[in-house]
Structure formats: C-alpha cells, structure tokens
Amino acid sequence: MKKRDTEKRCCAGRSTEWQGVRTINPPVYNGSTVLFDSFEDIVEIASGQYEGIAYGTDRLPTQRAFEEHLSQLEGGAVTRAFQSGISAITSVLQAFTRSGDHILLCENVYGPTATFCKKILSKYAIEVDFLPASIGADIVHWIKPNTRLVFMESPGSNTFEIQDIPAITAITAPKGIITVLDNTWATPLFLNPFNLGVDVIIHSVTKYISGHSDVLLGSATINEKWSEEFLDYYTTMELFAPSQECYLALRGLKTLAVRLRQHEKSALTVARWLEEQPLVGSVIHPALTSHPQHQIWKRDFSGSSGLFAFSFAVDYPQEVIADFVNSLEMFGIGFSWGGFMSLVTAGKYSRIGVPTESEKYTIRLNVGLEETDDLIEDIKSSFERMV
Ligand SMILES: Cc1ncc(COP(=O)(O)O)c(C=O)c1O
C-alpha cells in the first residue's frame, strides 16, 4: 500500500530541517498525537513490533536526546527523564519494591524522599529503616533477609555526610540488593557512581545540570542488570518529561563543566574565609580537611560543587538567625540550589548519634556565580550585626 505523503497533506513546516535551516541545538518537539505513515503502523503497534514513536508519552525526540546525553556521561545502560527530581526518586522506589520488602535509607536524604517512604511505601507494607548518614561496611548489621534496596545521598544536601559507597556495594551486590544514589550534588562530572558499584543514579536535573533555576526535571540512569525491570515500570506508567524542560537541561549539560568548576572555586573561597571567622563554629564542606569524611570524599570524588553549610560557635536563638539570614543582600532566601544565584537556607537537623550539633542551626549556602568578594562582604556585614 502506498504510504501517505504526510509532508504534502498536512502543509509545510513539519520537517526538523525547516526550509534548509539546521540549528546547533535540536528543536523542541511538542505533541500528543504523532502521525503514522499508514494503517499498517497501527497493526504493528498492536503486535508490539512498531519501532517508531507512537505517542507523546512515548518520549519525544527532545527527551530522548537529553536522556542519551546523560546516559553517556554517567556510563549507564538506560536513562529516563521525569517531571522533577522527586518524581524520579519516588518512581525508582516504586519500580523496584513490592509488599513485604525491607528498604534502607541514609538518614541525610532529601526530606521528601524520607517522607515518601514513611507515608506512601509503608501503605504497601514496605518496611523502612534509616541508616546513619556516614555509613559504610557496618551496613551489614542493618540488612535483613528481605532487604531489597539501599538508598544513599552522598553528600546529603543539608548536612553533607559522605557514605562509603564501595564498602556498601561490596556487601549489597552479592546479596542482590539494589543500590540507588542521589548524585545531584556531585553531578556526573565529579562522581562516577557506577564505578563504585551503584546500580541506579538519580539526579535532580533542576539543580546544576539545568543551572539557571528555571527548570524542574529529574532523571534516573540504570545499569544493565536492572534496566529491564525499570523500563517495564516506566513504560507501563506512561511516564515522560516535558520537552521544553528536556531542551533546557540538554543545553545545560553543554556548559555544566565550566559552571561547576566556577561554583567549586567560589564555594571553596567562601568556605575557607568562613573557617577563619570567630563567629563560626564549623564549616561543613566535604573538600575541607576538617570534614569528618574528607578522606572518603578525596578517594571517590574528583571535585566539589557549590553547596555547603556552616554553624555558628554559639547556639543562637531563632531571632538572631532570622536577622542574619534576612540581612543578607546577595543571597536569596529560597529552596533548591545549583543555579547561578547565591541562596541561603537555615534549619535544624537531628541525626542519629550527633545530638549536640543538631541542636544548633545549620546555615546552608548555595554559592552562585557572583564575585566572591561581594559574597564575602555581604556575609561580613550580616555578621557585624550579630556582635
Ligand atoms: C538532593 C536532592 N535530591 C532531589 C531533590 C528533588 O528535586 P526536585 O526539586 O527536582 O524535585 C532535591 C531538591 O532540593 C535535592 O536537594
């Protein structure tokens, strides 16, 4: 049967090379309906033999281009994009667990990750235990016969503890336990989790990969062993990510290395300056020798990004902390991180076995791409109000 000449029937402007123009970046494909060449394509879909893109939820070319690029950077078998980082996390957790399983989460994970496990997975009889944030080989004491998955975030995005990933995977892999790592802080450029034995890598693409605080997107990259099981879930759920966001994230990947090196340099300048200030109790940055897991960071990571924290020497009441935060002019007060604008948040985080520090406020800084002299001047002025 003669295939339809779609280009002619549906008027001009449909090809990606529009009127002979080729742009460096791929176009943004938007669409629900994808036109077939003929009725025979529909027959092929019904028999599972169709190889093209059948519908918008089938992942349009912009999404596929982003996923392919990230897969290459991570060295994974398969990457899938999600509407946000938390959506990638909750989907991965659902994809790999079933009633009766036991899962382990490092206690320093992003708050909503822990909340999802406690509130939603528990409804499906999945047992959840929290691990000390700097766990390594001692994970062996937490594993049960039904342990299915271990979820790590290294460093944790508020308190920056580092896990001994190879020590953990050396124990979990022979038992067939899946290891998942939220690698948002390091990005694919500063940590290669597959080399350390991790099975699934998650990113909040919202952060450094997109880099401009104007995108919400997540990703999961899976190794060969677990890809099929994951794809079965992703396809069945008809998950997908918006094309415009994938386009911006793909564009972000092209400048990630340059931005990240600058974030690293600026954050270290600010962190080292903070270390010398009498008002400051401790600076919590994995690349500083004072960090409790600095040696592990040095062994596994090839760089540090722009997010770190500090606490004051004195346990100031909330009003004093509020005045410090509110008087900063260069640091926006807001959630998320990884963008060009410096940001500040403050909170108290209780951790197993470290009660004294958790009683104090932790001030978290996202060091952006502004001049570090200006950032330091800004913090200095806010410190002066406290003495
Ligand atoms: C470490 C980490 N993972 C995941 C997320 C969630 O990402 P998103 O904001 O894209 O949902 C965040 C958000 O702040 C985060 O800090």
Side-chain angles (χ1 to χ4, degrees), residues 326-379:
N326 291 337
S327 61
L328 289 167
E329 288 181 1
M330 302 272 311
F331 291 80
I333 305 168
F335 289 137
S336 208
W337 41 280
F340 59 87
M341 181 182 175
S342 289
L343 298 171
V344 60
T345 57
K348 290 192 176 193
Y349 305 95
S350 56
R351 297 281 178 252
I352 302 168
V354 278
T356 36
E357 273 306 303
S358 68
E359 278 160 21
K360 279 194 211 161
Y361 274 94
T362 299
I363 315 293
R364 189 184 77 171
L365 300 180
N366 170 62
V367 174
L369 300 176
E370 305 91 341
E371 290 294 328
T372 45
D373 285 352
D374 295 341
L375 296 175
I376 287 172
E377 266 315 303
D378 192 28
I379 301 172

Side-chain angles (χ1 to χ4, degrees), residues 273-274 277-280 310 312 316 324 327-328 376-387:
W273 176 82
L274 281 168
Q277 305 312 304
L279 280 185
V280 171
F310 70 93
F312 288 104
Y316 288 114
F324 166 74
S327 61
L328 289 167
I376 287 172
E377 266 315 303
D378 192 28
I379 301 172
K380 209 192 261 175
S381 318
S382 294
F383 278 173
E384 278 160 12
R385 299 165 66 97
M386 301 173 78
V387 288

Side-chain angles (χ1 to χ4, degrees), residues 63 66 80-92 110 112-113 182 184 201-207 210 215-220 230 234 239-242 245-246 336:
Q63 177 171 348
F66 166 67
R80 288 293 178 268
F82 297 81
Q83 66 181 21
S84 64
I86 191 62
S87 166
I89 290 166
T90 57
S91 300
V92 162
Y110 175 58
T113 304
D182 185 330
T184 305
I201 302 167
I202 287 177
H203 286 287
S204 167
V205 176
T206 309
K207 313 288 190 283
S210 71
V215 167
L216 269 167
L217 200 72
S219 69
F230 179 73
Y234 191 90
L239 295 163
F240 67 97
E245 312 295 274
C246 290
S336 208

